[in-house]
Amino acid sequence: MKHIQTISEACIHVSAGQSACGECQ
Amino acid sequence: MVHLFKFQNDTLAFDSESGALHKLDALSAAVIESYIEHEGQHPGETEIQQLEASLGPDVRECCNDIDELIARGDLFAAAKSITPDQLYPDQPRIKSMCLHICHDCNLRCEYCFASTGDFGTGHRTMLDAETGYKAIDFLIEASGPRRNLDIDFFGGEPLLNWPVVVDLVDYCEKRGAETGKILRLTMTTNGVLLDEEKSRFINQHFKNVVLSLDGRPDVHDRMRPDAGGKGSYQRIAPHFKDFIAMRGDRDYYLRGTFTRHNLDFTGDVLHLASLGKQLSMEPVVAPAGVGYEIRPEDLPAIEAEYEKLAMEIRQAKAKGEPFNFFHFMLDLSHGPCAFKRIKGCGVGIEYIAVTPEGDIYPCHQFVGEPEYRMGNVHNQPVQIDPVVQLPFYSLLVPDKAECSQCWAKYFCSGGCAANSLHVNGHVNGVDPISCQLQKKRLECALWLKT
């Protein structure tokens, strides 16, 4: 793309039926 | 929602729902602004012709690129739809505990939220091993099927009660092995009593250690005197330097607090960088009128200082002398799941604090507030007061009107309930000063990714 430089793509995703694992700090 | 902002000579577009980040030139910035005015929709033909008249013939090509990014989900992504049953694998479980090893301290830091150790009670007390065992047993039982648990050895100053620290570490490791739980231990210390023996023990058993140091000696000594009123820097800094050398590649943070006395805190961060490489500097939380509190009129200076710090970090990295600043750490490819991002710290429902007397509070910031006492580990079986706990179930980002339209919501996770209590008189709100500083820090962190 000539006028836009993508530094990073989408990184926050939610899928239907997915749930938290609960093991995060 | 797209957050368009300038930082130094760069223009960046951050897509808050997807987490995608783009660097723009003047033309694409103007075209994206037009999309923002149309709530993410392609501008009409008349408007495109107006843009072409002022920006030149590339406008249509740029629109096509933006439409492609929208189709890919990297710009103007749709709002997340998350249902309550997705937030936990079964139900909320207490899995993290701030264990107050003592309510006493050998420093008299002016800004201490713990009232220099006794949490405003007038009583300086030590946790005994029996109460500690019961607190650890309660955490293990309350955690249900959760495997990874956290215990922060906190105070007051935990090193004042060293025999109990050693005893409880042994107990944690024994109970972890018996139950199949992984108990990750962390500690926060002012370093006064941090000798070689304690350093070796801490390095062996603690996953993360927070070392409290405010930066330059005169800045540190002004706010962190000892009980006799003398500055503490000269005693503490050598302890931390030795500890960090021994620590190797394990986690630690040299953590300072800045007040309105040192709004030029970049100098303090750079001073900390001469002692270690994992750093943090937090704005003081203090009531109005104490003289060192952050005031609304200080915000422009603080924002400029964060920009200055970001540039120093970039220069240090270019020189091959990088250091990490906690609030500028951002993972745009491998970050937390969306569920964690809307839950925040888990205060009161996943995270609790236990005092030397065994009293249970939603977190360390609520200790000493009688109406927030949730139970006591000596009252077996331990019962958490559901009335006290109830408001803490409603602290999700979607529950807060101020957060739902904020571009920073998935990185801030709704802010601090204790700050909200101090500012608003209730836990389910935001502190506008904290919000503004958080957003500025995020802009710095995003810029450092370019």
Side-chain angles (χ1 to χ4, degrees), chain A, chain B residues 18 20-23 25 28 58 65 74 80 86-87 89 95 146-148 150 184 332 338-340 449:
Chain A
M1 291 182 183
K2 188 173 171 185
H3 298 282
I4 302 175
Q5 178 192 355
T6 293
I7 305 296
S8 64
E9 297 178 347
C11 63
I12 307 172
H13 305 286
V14 177
S15 305
Q18 186 187 33
S19 66
C21 73
E23 296 295 347
C24 58
Q25 201 163 7
Chain B
S18 71
L21 177 67
H22 312 277
K23 190 173 177 180
D25 63 10
S28 58
D58 280 2
D65 289 344
D74 287 341
K80 298 274 176 287
Q86 291 179 282
L87 294 176
K95 59 177 185 170
R146 301 290 182 276
R147 189 151 176 261
N148 291 281
D150 292 282
R184 295 175 295 196
L332 290 180
F339 311 116
K340 177 175 173 60
K449 290 292 182 187

XYZ file of all heavy atoms in Angstrom, chain A, chain B residues 18 20-23 25 28 58 65 74 80 86-87 89 95 146-148 150 184 332 338-340 449:
388
model
N 0.846 -1.188 0.000
C 0.000 0.000 0.000
C 0.883 1.241 0.000
O 1.821 1.325 0.794
C -0.920 -0.011 1.228
C -1.987 -1.091 1.158
S -3.103 -1.059 2.562
C -4.124 -2.482 2.184
N 0.540 2.163 -0.847
C 1.413 3.314 -1.075
C 1.402 4.299 0.097
O 2.432 4.891 0.430
C 0.938 4.008 -2.356
C 1.832 5.121 -2.861
C 1.314 5.574 -4.226
C 2.005 6.832 -4.707
N 1.403 7.312 -5.977
N 0.232 4.471 0.715
C 0.103 5.540 1.713
C -0.093 5.030 3.136
O -0.169 5.823 4.065
C -1.071 6.452 1.339
C -0.866 7.142 0.020
N -0.054 8.236 -0.127
C -1.348 6.857 -1.218
C -0.052 8.615 -1.401
N -0.822 7.788 -2.083
N -0.223 3.720 3.298
C -0.466 3.147 4.630
C 0.525 2.014 4.869
O 0.643 1.107 4.042
C -1.907 2.589 4.755
C -2.931 3.694 4.477
C -2.136 1.986 6.138
C -4.367 3.203 4.449
N 1.227 2.098 5.991
C 2.135 1.007 6.372
C 1.525 0.292 7.579
O 1.388 0.888 8.650
C 3.514 1.577 6.735
C 4.500 0.509 7.181
C 5.757 1.101 7.810
O 5.942 2.320 7.843
N 6.615 0.240 8.326
N 1.145 -0.967 7.394
C 0.589 -1.722 8.521
C 1.735 -2.207 9.403
O 2.587 -2.974 8.962
C -0.260 -2.905 8.020
O -1.412 -2.374 7.351
C -0.721 -3.781 9.176
N 1.743 -1.727 10.645
C 2.796 -2.110 11.598
C 2.490 -3.486 12.180
O 3.369 -4.325 12.326
C 2.900 -1.078 12.748
C 3.115 0.338 12.189
C 3.989 -1.462 13.737
C 4.406 0.534 11.441
N 1.219 -3.707 12.541
C 0.832 -5.032 13.033
C -0.639 -5.262 12.724
O -1.439 -4.330 12.748
C 1.097 -5.163 14.532
O 0.298 -4.257 15.238
N -0.962 -6.514 12.446
C -2.327 -6.861 12.055
C -3.175 -7.160 13.287
O -2.678 -7.152 14.412
C -2.285 -8.064 11.110
C -1.533 -7.747 9.816
C -1.434 -8.934 8.879
O -1.731 -10.061 9.316
O -1.045 -8.726 7.718
N -4.449 -7.456 13.048
C -5.392 -7.717 14.142
C -4.835 -8.768 15.104
O -4.289 -9.781 14.674
C -6.721 -8.188 13.567
N -4.963 -8.486 16.407
C -4.423 -9.426 17.399
C -5.416 -9.725 18.515
O -5.098 -10.470 19.441
C -3.125 -8.889 17.996
S -3.315 -7.355 18.915
N -6.607 -9.137 18.471
C -7.607 -9.404 19.516
C -8.751 -10.163 18.859
O -9.510 -9.593 18.080
C -8.126 -8.103 20.155
C -6.962 -7.246 20.657
C -9.077 -8.414 21.301
C -7.381 -5.860 21.130
N -8.835 -11.448 19.146
C -9.818 -12.286 18.471
C -10.749 -12.943 19.491
O -10.327 -13.285 20.589
C -9.126 -13.391 17.666
C -8.124 -12.871 16.683
N -8.486 -12.256 15.513
C -6.773 -12.852 16.707
C -7.395 -11.897 14.851
N -6.343 -12.237 15.559
N -11.986 -13.128 19.103
C -12.929 -13.918 19.903
C -13.672 -14.837 18.947
O -14.216 -14.379 17.946
C -13.961 -13.028 20.626
C -14.953 -13.898 21.391
C -13.276 -12.083 21.573
N -13.667 -16.119 19.246
C -14.425 -17.060 18.431
C -15.676 -17.477 19.192
O -15.642 -17.621 20.415
C -13.584 -18.306 18.140
O -12.368 -17.930 17.551
N -16.751 -17.688 18.458
C -17.986 -18.161 19.093
C -17.708 -19.504 19.756
O -17.024 -20.358 19.197
C -19.073 -18.304 18.046
N -18.214 -19.663 20.970
C -18.023 -20.930 21.668
C -16.722 -21.023 22.430
O -16.543 -21.918 23.250
N -15.799 -20.096 22.170
C -14.529 -20.101 22.887
C -14.745 -19.490 24.272
O -15.576 -18.604 24.438
C -13.531 -19.251 22.093
C -12.119 -19.259 22.623
C -11.245 -18.256 21.861
O -11.710 -17.215 21.434
N -9.981 -18.590 21.706
N -14.007 -19.973 25.274
C -14.086 -19.319 26.585
C -12.693 -19.216 27.190
O -11.753 -19.852 26.714
C -15.020 -20.088 27.522
O -14.470 -21.346 27.822
N -12.579 -18.409 28.239
C -11.281 -18.178 28.873
C -10.773 -19.461 29.517
O -11.554 -20.260 30.032
C -11.419 -17.087 29.927
N -9.454 -19.649 29.507
C -8.883 -20.840 30.152
C -8.787 -20.647 31.659
O -8.705 -21.619 32.406
C -7.507 -21.167 29.570
S -6.171 -20.043 30.072
N -8.771 -19.380 32.118
C -8.753 -19.112 33.557
C -7.394 -19.226 34.209
O -7.265 -19.036 35.413
N -6.359 -19.526 33.434
C -5.047 -19.769 34.047
C -4.108 -18.570 33.968
O -2.945 -18.667 34.333
C -4.382 -20.985 33.382
C -5.138 -22.288 33.602
C -5.166 -22.724 35.070
O -4.406 -22.170 35.882
O -5.970 -23.614 35.395
N -4.608 -17.431 33.474
C -3.721 -16.270 33.350
C -3.408 -15.688 34.729
O -4.151 -15.882 35.687
C -4.353 -15.200 32.475
S -5.945 -14.624 33.050
N -2.305 -14.984 34.786
C -1.904 -14.348 36.035
C -2.834 -13.172 36.299
O -3.082 -12.355 35.419
C -0.466 -13.860 35.910
C 0.206 -13.645 37.228
C 1.715 -13.581 37.078
O 2.236 -13.563 35.975
N 2.408 -13.552 38.186
N -9.629 -4.498 16.958
C -8.792 -5.590 16.446
C -7.378 -5.555 17.009
O -6.681 -6.571 17.014
C -8.706 -5.511 14.922
O -7.916 -4.403 14.522
N -5.044 -3.754 15.564
C -4.134 -3.506 14.442
C -3.615 -2.065 14.492
O -4.318 -1.153 14.927
C -4.848 -3.760 13.123
N -2.366 -1.900 14.034
C -1.709 -0.584 14.082
C -1.157 -0.237 12.703
O -0.528 -1.082 12.056
C -0.571 -0.618 15.109
C 0.274 0.648 15.250
C -0.562 1.795 15.832
C 1.486 0.384 16.146
N -1.387 1.007 12.274
C -0.950 1.447 10.947
C -0.258 2.803 11.053
O -0.656 3.654 11.853
C -2.144 1.582 10.000
C -3.066 0.401 10.019
N -2.836 -0.739 9.289
C -4.216 0.175 10.716
C -3.813 -1.614 9.520
N -4.654 -1.082 10.382
N 0.760 2.972 10.213
C 1.452 4.263 10.117
C 0.987 4.941 8.833
O 0.935 4.298 7.770
C 2.965 4.024 10.091
C 3.807 5.269 10.243
C 5.280 4.865 10.381
C 6.186 6.066 10.468
N 7.605 5.641 10.603
N 0.653 8.427 6.043
C 1.197 9.698 5.574
C 0.068 10.733 5.623
O -1.052 10.427 6.063
C 1.825 9.554 4.181
C 0.809 9.160 3.115
O -0.421 9.174 3.407
O 1.220 8.845 1.989
N -3.218 9.634 3.604
C -4.039 8.567 4.192
C -4.639 9.005 5.529
O -5.750 8.591 5.877
C -3.227 7.280 4.353
O -2.085 7.493 5.152
N -4.367 10.420 -5.740
C -4.205 9.121 -5.064
C -5.335 8.797 -4.089
O -5.337 7.723 -3.474
C -2.879 9.087 -4.289
C -1.697 8.808 -5.205
O -1.924 8.683 -6.433
O -0.571 8.730 -4.707
N -7.425 0.930 -0.591
C -6.567 0.284 0.417
C -7.282 0.212 1.771
O -7.221 -0.805 2.468
C -5.253 1.063 0.570
C -4.343 0.905 -0.645
O -4.589 -0.028 -1.441
O -3.416 1.718 -0.796
N -8.743 -5.198 9.875
C -7.635 -4.443 10.462
C -7.946 -2.957 10.633
O -7.092 -2.192 11.086
C -6.377 -4.594 9.593
C -5.758 -5.975 9.739
O -6.059 -6.656 10.737
O -4.983 -6.378 8.856
N -16.547 -6.325 19.777
C -16.531 -7.712 20.231
C -17.864 -8.074 20.890
O -18.448 -7.276 21.617
C -15.418 -7.906 21.264
C -14.022 -7.644 20.721
C -13.473 -8.879 20.063
C -12.122 -8.602 19.435
N -12.193 -7.797 18.210
N -18.529 -16.940 28.641
C -17.219 -17.122 28.007
C -16.072 -16.643 28.902
O -14.915 -16.935 28.619
C -17.155 -16.348 26.682
C -18.045 -16.906 25.579
C -17.931 -16.074 24.311
O -18.508 -14.997 24.204
N -17.165 -16.573 23.352
N -16.395 -15.903 29.960
C -15.342 -15.229 30.727
C -14.561 -16.167 31.636
O -13.431 -15.874 32.017
C -15.946 -14.102 31.569
C -16.530 -12.940 30.762
C -17.195 -11.939 31.685
C -15.438 -12.266 29.944
N -13.912 -20.567 32.620
C -14.209 -21.923 32.163
C -15.392 -22.533 32.915
O -16.102 -23.368 32.381
C -12.913 -22.688 32.432
C -12.080 -21.823 33.280
C -12.556 -20.421 33.146
N -7.940 -16.979 42.848
C -6.733 -17.707 42.446
C -5.470 -16.888 42.682
O -4.381 -17.314 42.309
C -6.828 -18.104 40.974
C -6.990 -16.914 40.032
C -7.009 -17.352 38.579
C -7.057 -16.158 37.658
N -6.846 -16.499 36.266
N -8.618 -24.348 39.107
C -7.501 -23.542 38.598
C -6.181 -24.150 39.061
O -6.042 -24.523 40.226
C -7.578 -22.091 39.084
C -8.826 -21.369 38.701
C -8.925 -21.074 37.207
N -10.155 -20.342 36.981
C -11.358 -20.917 36.829
N -11.463 -22.230 36.825
N -12.450 -20.189 36.665
N -5.218 -24.183 38.150
C -3.947 -24.829 38.486
C -2.879 -23.804 38.868
O -2.057 -24.051 39.749
C -3.484 -25.649 37.273
C -2.310 -26.531 37.566
C -2.287 -27.777 36.693
N -1.066 -28.536 36.958
C 0.015 -28.479 36.188
N 0.017 -27.727 35.115
N 1.088 -29.186 36.492
N -2.873 -22.659 38.195
C -1.833 -21.651 38.422
C -2.329 -20.591 39.400
O -3.258 -19.844 39.099
C -1.451 -20.992 37.097
C -0.712 -21.961 36.194
O 0.470 -22.207 36.373
N -1.432 -22.536 35.239
N -1.302 -17.446 42.371
C -0.289 -16.436 42.673
C -0.408 -15.981 44.116
O -1.518 -15.721 44.599
C -0.476 -15.209 41.769
C -0.152 -15.521 40.321
O 1.043 -15.583 40.000
O -1.092 -15.725 39.532
N 2.882 -19.541 42.275
C 3.927 -18.600 41.869
C 4.041 -17.523 42.942
O 3.057 -16.855 43.263
C 3.582 -17.978 40.521
C 3.571 -19.000 39.394
C 3.107 -18.407 38.105
N 1.723 -17.976 38.183
C 0.970 -17.700 37.129
N 1.480 -17.794 35.933
N -0.279 -17.322 37.265
N 1.673 -6.891 20.447
C 0.643 -6.741 19.416
C 0.513 -7.981 18.540
O -0.209 -7.960 17.552
C 0.950 -5.522 18.541
C 0.782 -4.161 19.225
C 1.115 -3.031 18.264
C -0.626 -3.978 19.773
N -9.042 -11.946 24.651
C -10.011 -10.849 24.789
C -10.729 -10.915 26.133
O -11.104 -9.887 26.695
C -11.017 -10.913 23.648
N -10.894 -12.120 26.666
C -11.636 -12.266 27.925
C -10.880 -11.612 29.076
O -11.455 -10.909 29.896
C -11.882 -13.748 28.217
C -12.436 -14.492 27.038
C -11.723 -15.504 26.432
C -13.670 -14.148 26.513
C -12.223 -16.173 25.331
C -14.190 -14.808 25.409
C -13.462 -15.820 24.809
N -9.573 -11.855 29.130
C -8.784 -11.220 30.193
C -8.820 -9.706 30.041
O -8.868 -8.971 31.026
C -7.338 -11.714 30.169
C -6.463 -11.020 31.232
C -5.069 -11.576 31.292
C -4.163 -10.781 32.218
N -4.612 -10.716 33.597
N 6.417 0.742 18.733
C 6.296 -0.433 17.859
C 6.604 -0.097 16.402
O 6.722 -0.997 15.569
C 4.875 -1.006 17.935
C 4.550 -1.666 19.263
C 5.363 -2.926 19.441
C 5.035 -3.637 20.724
N 5.958 -4.766 20.966
